C-alpha cells in the first residue's frame, strides 16, 4: 500500500496491471490492482505454518476492498491485518475472480467460476500429501462458487478427492443458499450476456436449492465444520447512478 499513489499509477489510471523491469531480474515484477487468482497476504515461518485460509469475495465486489471497512480510511483490511495476528499459524490468501455487473461482456456461469477456483487450488499443490489444511471465508456469491467447487471435486478426479480431504471447514457470510431478491440486479444487467448468470441467483432458482442439498450431503459425510453469518438488519441495496456506476 502507498501513502502517496506513484505517478505511474496516476498516469495510467485506466490500467489494472503493470510490468516493472528490475535490474538483475530476468523477468519483470508484476503489479496489479485486480487481485485476480490467489494472492497471499502474509508470510509465515514454515515450522509455525499449520493451515491456509482462502477468502472469496462476493458479487460485483473487489477481492481486497470488499474486506475493508466502509469510509475513506482504507488503511486497514482485517484479513491481512487482524486475522494473522489472532491466528499466527495461518497464512491468509485472497481468491479474486471477475464478477463485474455493469457493462460486462462475460458469459461465465457459476460452474465456470467454480471450475477456475478448483484449477487454482490444484495448481498450487493442495492435493499433495504434505500440503497444509484449508479453511475458507466466503461472502455472498463466493459461497455459491465454493459449494459448486466442492461438488465438482467430490465427483471429479483423485486430485479433487485429496483436496477435499484437506478441508477443515469455513465461514459463510451472507451466502444466498436459497436465492436472493434479484430484481434490482436484473434491472442493471438487462440485455447483457450475464443476465442469465444473475437470474441463477434469484429466490426462484431451483439450481441453488439443489446445490445446497448436494453440499449438505457432502459435508455430512466428511470431517468439515461450517458456520453461517448473516445480517439481522436491513441495509442499502445496489443502485445505479446516471453514469451506470454501482454504489453500495
Amino acid at each position: 500500500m502507498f501513502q502517496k499513489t506513484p505517478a505511474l499509477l496516476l498516469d495510467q489510471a485506466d490500467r489494472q496491471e503493470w510490468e516493472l523491469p528490475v535490474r538483475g531480474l530476468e523477468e519483470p515484477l508484476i503489479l496489479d490492482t485486480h487481485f485476480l487468482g490467489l494472492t497471499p497476504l502474509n508470510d509465515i515461518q514454515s515450522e509455525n505454518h499449520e493451515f491456509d485460509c482462502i477468502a472469496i469475495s462476493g458479487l460485483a465486489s473487489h477481492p481486497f476492498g470488499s474486506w475493508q471497512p466502509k469510509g475513506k480510511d482504507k488503511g486497514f483490511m482485517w484479513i491481512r491485518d487482524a486475522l494473522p495476528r489472532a491466528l499466527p499459524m495461518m497464512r491468509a490468501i485472497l481468491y479474486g475472480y471477475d464478477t463485474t455487473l455493469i457493462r460486462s461482456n462475460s458469459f461465465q456461469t457459476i460452474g465456470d467460476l467454480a471450475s477456475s477456483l478448483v484449477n487454482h487450488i490444484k495448481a498450487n499443490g493442495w492435493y499433495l500429501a504434505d500440503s497444509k489444511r484449508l479453511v475458507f471465508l466466503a461472502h455472498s456469491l463466493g459461497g455459491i462458487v465454493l459449494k459448486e467447487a466442492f461438488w465438482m471435486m467430490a465427483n471429479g478426479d483423485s486430485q479433487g478427492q485429496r483436496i477435499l480431504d484437506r478441508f477443515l471447514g469455513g465461514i459463510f457470510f451472507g451466502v444466498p443458499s436459497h436465492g436472493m431478491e434479484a430484481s434490482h440486479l436484473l434491472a442493471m444487467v438487462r440485455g447483457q450476456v450475464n443476465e442469465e448468470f444473475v437470474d441463477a441467483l434469484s429466490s426462484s432458482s431451483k439450481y441453488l436449492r439443489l446445490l445446497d442439498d448436494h453440499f449438505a450431503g457432502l459435508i455430512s459425510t466428511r470431517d468439515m465444520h461450517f458456520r453461517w453469518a448473516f445480517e439481522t438488519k436491513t441495509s442499502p441495496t445496489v443502485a445505479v447512478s446516471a453514469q451506470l456506476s454501482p454504489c453500495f
Side-chain angles (χ1 to χ4, degrees), residues 67-206:
W67 304 102
Q68 292 180 291
K70 294 181 179 180
K72 294 183 179 180
D73 184 5
K74 296 299 183 182
F76 176 77
M77 195 278 217
W78 69 274
I79 294 177
R80 181 196 61 186
D81 300 323
L83 204 56
R85 288 201 297 268
L87 299 169
M89 75 294 291
M90 180 207 74
R91 181 175 58 161
I93 303 169
L94 296 182
Y95 178 68
Y97 59 111
D98 181 18
T99 59
T100 304
L101 288 179
I102 303 300
R103 298 194 182 98
S104 173
N105 59 2
S106 172
F107 48 84
Q108 291 186 106
T109 66
I110 294 173
D112 292 332
L113 296 175
S115 179
S116 180
L117 172 60
V118 171
N119 289 336
H120 275 88
I121 293 173
K122 287 182 177 180
N124 282 270
W126 274 291
Y127 62 88
L128 300 173
D130 60 349
S131 61
K132 302 302 179 183
R133 302 299 297 273
L134 274 172
V135 297
F136 280 89
L137 302 176
H139 175 235
S140 180
L141 174 63
I144 303 300
V145 172
L146 182 59
K147 286 182 178 183
E148 182 66 40
F150 270 52
W151 184 242
M152 284 182 173
M153 286 185 285
N155 294 278
D157 59 19
S158 60
Q159 287 187 358
Q161 297 291 334
R162 290 196 292 271
I163 291 170
L164 283 177
D165 292 337
R166 311 308 300 161
F167 288 148
L168 293 171
I171 303 176
F172 287 157
F173 298 90
V175 175
S177 296
H178 291 172
M180 58 188 285
E181 170 53 49
S183 58
H184 54 294
L185 297 176
L186 286 168
M188 295 168 63
V189 301
R190 191 74 65 197
Q192 294 182 177
V193 293
N194 60 344
E195 183 176 350
E196 185 176 344
F197 171 84
V198 173
D199 188 55
L201 301 174
S202 69
S203 54
S204 61
S205 173
K206 294 181 180 179

Side-chain angles (χ1 to χ4, degrees), residues 5-15 17-21 31:
T5 305
L8 172 67
L9 307 190
L10 290 174
D11 294 341
Q12 304 177 33
D14 58 328
R15 297 180 59 181
E17 184 172 303
W18 298 262
E19 291 189 357
L20 307 177
L31 171 68

Side-chain angles (χ1 to χ4, degrees), residues 32-42 53-55 63-64 77 79-80 91-96 120 124 126:
D32 72 67
T33 58
H34 53 63
F35 286 83
L36 297 178
L38 292 167
T39 304
L41 298 180
N42 65 307
C53 175
I54 299 179
F64 188 95
M77 195 278 217
I79 294 177
R80 181 196 61 186
R91 181 175 58 161
I93 303 169
L94 296 182
Y95 178 68
H120 275 88
N124 282 270
W126 274 291

